[in-house]
């Protein structure tokens, strides 16, 4: 089981400036590489304290790439619906060159009605735009003289420049929120998977992973070659009470800001997002203690987090990569740095990661 670092800025600007946050991300990324973490990744969101400091993952990841040499650089995820595929494929190919072929590309559909409204894109088109955008990028990276005749875009013939370093293209990940069907399609298509256990039940999580692995195998691909990134927030301290206090404070901060970001679902319905109009009611029932007991959030001493991850490995398999958010909310930098070092020194070695 490998470990990576996930950056998802969820805090109001008065808590921390953008410049401060980016400096912390860069410093933690360098430290993560020094300790042998497998990847760093970040999200794409707009216009609110819920992720709004990361409107362009490529920009932030380019800065990280310039400060590192070995760690994988991962989008988690970019949203094809918001960017023309020629531009998106070109930006990502450029990043793959700048980082020396270390890029993993996670694609997501997006799920916030306000973001779709701001871009003037109907949410009922999101699934089709996602499928078209991913396939257009894949072809632009791997083929020459591409002519595209899609539902939303028409272009070509064109040979994309620059060509990506990785051949035939950077590894492609699909971010799936809760759909076993989407996971199965990712396996059929030969794409890797990004999932977030905190937003689905344990049973649905197992169904998603099983659907992905069965579809991957049914397509004739080697067992275990499909990579799965599972994302967790982690609150780690030698002092258990401190770790739990951080967990409750910053998880509730996340819930408060997410509630504001998804408020427009109360007046929105979409065939592409069945049941999402009830999302705000589900979020409001969040309980930190239950989430901790269900291992949907990692919190406690190094020994306790090791025990949680041991259970997670037993449930989901030892071939997963756990992507950790160690600087959640507006947590002070020194606390995040100490958590990373504690994880590397006292948790990761239990899972065969002597260098982490």
């Amino acid at each position: 089981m490998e470990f990576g670092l996930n950056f998802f800025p969820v805090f109001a600007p008065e808590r921390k400036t953008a410049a401060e946050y980016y400096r912390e991300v860069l410093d933690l990324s360098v430290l993560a590489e020094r300790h042998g973490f497998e990847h760093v990744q970040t999200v794409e969101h707009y216009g609110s304290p819920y992720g709004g400091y990361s409107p362009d993952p490529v920009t932030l990841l380019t800065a990280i790439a310039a400060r590192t040499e070995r760690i994988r650089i991962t989008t988690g995820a970019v949203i094809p619906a918001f960017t023309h595929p020629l531009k998106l494929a070109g930006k990502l190919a450029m990043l793959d060159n700048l980082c020396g072929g270390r890029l993993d590309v996670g694609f997501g559909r997006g799920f916030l009605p306000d973001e779709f409204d701001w871009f003037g894109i109907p949410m009922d088109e999101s699934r089709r735009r996602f499928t078209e955008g991913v396939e257009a990028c894949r072809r632009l990276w791997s083929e020459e003289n591409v002519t595209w005749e899609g539902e939303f875009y028409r272009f070509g013939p064109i040979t994309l420049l620059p060509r990506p370093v990785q051949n035939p293209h950077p590894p492609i990940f699909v971010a799936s929120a809760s759909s076993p069907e989407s996971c199965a399609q990712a396996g059929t298509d030969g794409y890797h998977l990004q999932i977030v256990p905190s937003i689905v039940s344990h049973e649905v999580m197992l169904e998603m992973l099983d659907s992905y692995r069965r579809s991957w195998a049914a397509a004739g691909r080697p067992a275990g070659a499909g990579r799965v990134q599972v994302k967790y927030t982690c609150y780690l301290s030698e002092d258990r009470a401190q770790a739990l206090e951080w967990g409750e404070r910053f998880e509730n901060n996340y819930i408060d800001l997410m509630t504001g970001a998804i408020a427009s679902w109360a007046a929105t319905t979409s065939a592409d997002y069945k049941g999402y109009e009830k999302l705000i009611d589900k979020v409001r029932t969040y309980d930190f203690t239950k989430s901790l007991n269900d291992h949907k959030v990692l919190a406690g001493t190094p020994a306790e987090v090791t025990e949680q991850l041991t259970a997670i490995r037993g449930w989901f398999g030892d071939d997963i990569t756990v992507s950790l958010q160690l600087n959640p909310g507006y947590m002070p930098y020194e606390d995040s740095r100490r958590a990373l070092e504690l994880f590397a020194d006292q948790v990761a070695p239990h899972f065969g990661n002597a260098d982490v």
Side-chain angles (χ1 to χ4, degrees):
M1 191 158 74
E2 293 188 290
F3 300 99
L5 206 56
N6 179 34
F7 296 111
F8 192 141
V10 183
F11 49 87
E14 59 268 22
R15 297 284 194 179
K16 190 178 292 188
T17 69
E20 289 172 330
Y21 175 71
Y22 300 144
R23 283 196 299 269
E24 293 177 7
V25 166
L26 291 173
D27 288 346
L28 289 170
S29 297
V30 170
L31 188 62
E33 176 172 82
R34 188 179 306 155
H35 284 289
F37 279 68
E38 190 266 346
H39 72 267
V40 292
Q41 67 172 277
T42 192
V43 297
E44 178 178 348
H45 278 299
Y46 300 87
S48 84
Y50 183 77
Y53 272 3
S54 189
D56 183 9
V58 173
T59 300
L60 184 54
L61 291 171
T62 299
I64 293 171
R67 294 274 301 272
T68 58
E69 296 179 354
R70 299 178 304 280
I71 198 166
R72 300 293 297 179
I73 305 296
T74 307
T75 63
V78 291
I79 305 174
F82 298 159
T83 307
H84 192 290
L86 275 176
K87 185 172 185 176
L88 185 57
K91 283 161 56 91
L92 290 164
M94 190 173 180
L95 175 54
D96 196 41
N97 280 268
L98 289 168
C99 72
R102 291 183 280 143
L103 178 64
D104 293 326
V105 181
F107 290 102
R109 280 174 54 203
F111 76 102
L112 298 178
D114 286 341
E115 292 183 345
F116 281 85
D117 286 346
W118 293 331
F119 281 98
I121 296 171
M123 292 200 79
D124 285 345
E125 296 177 358
S126 74
R127 188 179 298 276
R128 304 196 310 279
R129 284 182 177 273
F130 171 83
T131 301
E132 182 170 333
V134 173
E135 178 61 12
C137 285
R138 187 197 66 79
R139 287 192 57 197
L140 285 164
W141 289 329
S142 57
E143 300 177 18
E144 298 182 356
N145 298 314
V146 174
T147 297
W148 185 265
E149 297 281 345
E151 179 181 358
F152 303 104
Y153 303 105
R154 295 187 178 187
F155 55 81
I158 181 173
T159 298
L160 184 74
L161 292 176
R163 309 304 291 167
V165 172
Q166 297 175 92
N167 186 30
H169 53 74
I172 294 174
F173 286 75
V174 169
S176 181
S178 60
S179 170
E181 293 77 17
S182 295
C183 295
Q185 188 62 53
T188 298
D189 294 338
Y191 298 149
H192 307 291
L193 192 64
Q194 294 176 338
I195 47 180
V196 185
S198 63
I199 60 177
V200 295
S201 69
H202 180 69
E203 291 74 21
V204 170
M205 178 74 175
L206 290 173
E207 185 180 357
M208 292 167 69
L209 286 170
D210 183 61
S211 296
Y212 175 71
R213 287 164 174 158
R214 282 191 291 104
S215 297
W216 179 277
R221 297 187 175 87
R227 297 160 58 193
V228 179
Q229 291 178 351
V230 187
K231 305 180 186 185
Y232 287 93
T233 308
C234 181
Y235 304 91
L236 188 62
S237 174
E238 299 99 327
D239 182 340
R240 182 176 189 271
Q242 177 66 83
L244 297 186
E245 191 277 325
W246 283 337
E248 187 157 17
R249 187 199 327 168
F250 292 120
E251 289 298 288
N252 284 327
N253 168 74
Y254 180 94
I255 293 299
D256 289 344
L257 295 181
M258 184 180 183
T259 298
I262 65 174
S264 51
W265 269 116
T268 304
T269 58
S270 170
D272 276 12
Y273 296 86
K274 293 179 181 179
Y276 272 66
E277 65 277 6
K278 301 175 182 177
L279 182 60
I280 193 166
D281 293 328
K282 181 178 179 180
V283 169
R284 283 172 174 162
T285 65
Y286 175 82
D287 179 81
F288 171 71
T289 301
K290 184 178 188 306
S291 184
L292 179 63
N293 290 337
D294 291 343
H295 298 341
K296 292 180 178 294
V297 59
L298 307 177
T301 64
E304 288 172 316
V305 170
T306 297
E307 185 177 350
Q308 286 185 290
L309 285 167
T310 300
I312 288 166
R313 179 175 60 180
W315 295 335
F316 305 146
D318 59 9
D319 58 342
I320 64 171
T321 296
V322 175
S323 192
L324 300 162
Q325 185 172 192
L326 293 169
N327 67 332
Y330 49 93
M331 178 177 281
Y333 170 74
E334 288 303 325
D335 294 328
S336 298
R337 179 187 178 93
R338 179 58 182 156
L340 191 155
E341 291 172 337
L342 274 176
F343 190 93
D345 293 341
Q346 299 186 34
V347 178
H350 292 278
F351 301 93
N353 293 270
D355 293 330
V356 175

